[in-house]
Each structure stands twice: as structure tokens, then as C-alpha cells.
Amino acid sequence: ASDFIDVHENCEIIGNLSANNISVNGSIKGNINALGHIILKENAVVAGDLQTGTLEIKKGAVINGKIAFLPTN
């Protein structure tokens, strides 16, 4: 997995993402798996499940899916 993925505003991804840390400000149709941290910014639209260690959601972000938190060591 990559160390960091940054999905910019006006970007649309169809598929799953996996990285240590992921920042989303665009649209994703797929699951997101981050061992560390996911941040969903104001323009984020996610249609899929999230699995992460920690999650930050900004006002305006939209999620249609399940959220699961990974155990921390």
C-alpha cells in the first residue's frame, strides 16, 4: 500500500483505495482502507465502506457506507 493518497476536489475515482493515510476532497465509488488516518474534507463524497485507525470528517462530507475502526497498538 502507498504511504499517502490525496484525492483532490473535482476528482472522481471508481475503485478501492488502500494506503497508510488517505485524504479525500473529491468523489470515490469504492471502499477505502487506511491503516492510519482518513480525512474526509468538505467536498468529499464516498459511496463505499471505510476501514481505518482514525477518522476525521469535515462539515459537508457525505458518506454512504459502513465505517469500521482498526485496533490500535
Side-chain angles (χ1 to χ4, degrees):
S2 297
D3 186 48
F4 180 73
I5 295 174
D6 189 7
V7 180
H8 295 271
E9 186 177 359
N10 299 321
C11 181
E12 182 177 341
I13 294 176
I14 299 174
N16 299 328
L17 295 180
S18 182
N20 288 329
N21 299 291
I22 299 174
S23 173
V24 179
N25 202 29
S27 173
I28 298 176
K29 293 179 183 175
N31 298 329
I32 302 174
N33 183 2
L35 296 175
H37 186 71
I38 294 174
I39 179 169
L40 301 178
K41 296 183 178 178
E42 294 83 1
N43 297 303
V45 178
V46 178
D49 297 339
L50 282 68
Q51 185 172 346
T52 186
T54 60
L55 176 64
E56 181 179 348
I57 304 171
K58 299 288 186 179
K59 183 178 179 180
V62 177
I63 305 169
N64 185 4
K66 295 181 278 185
I67 300 170
F69 289 96
L70 299 169
T72 55
N73 295 335

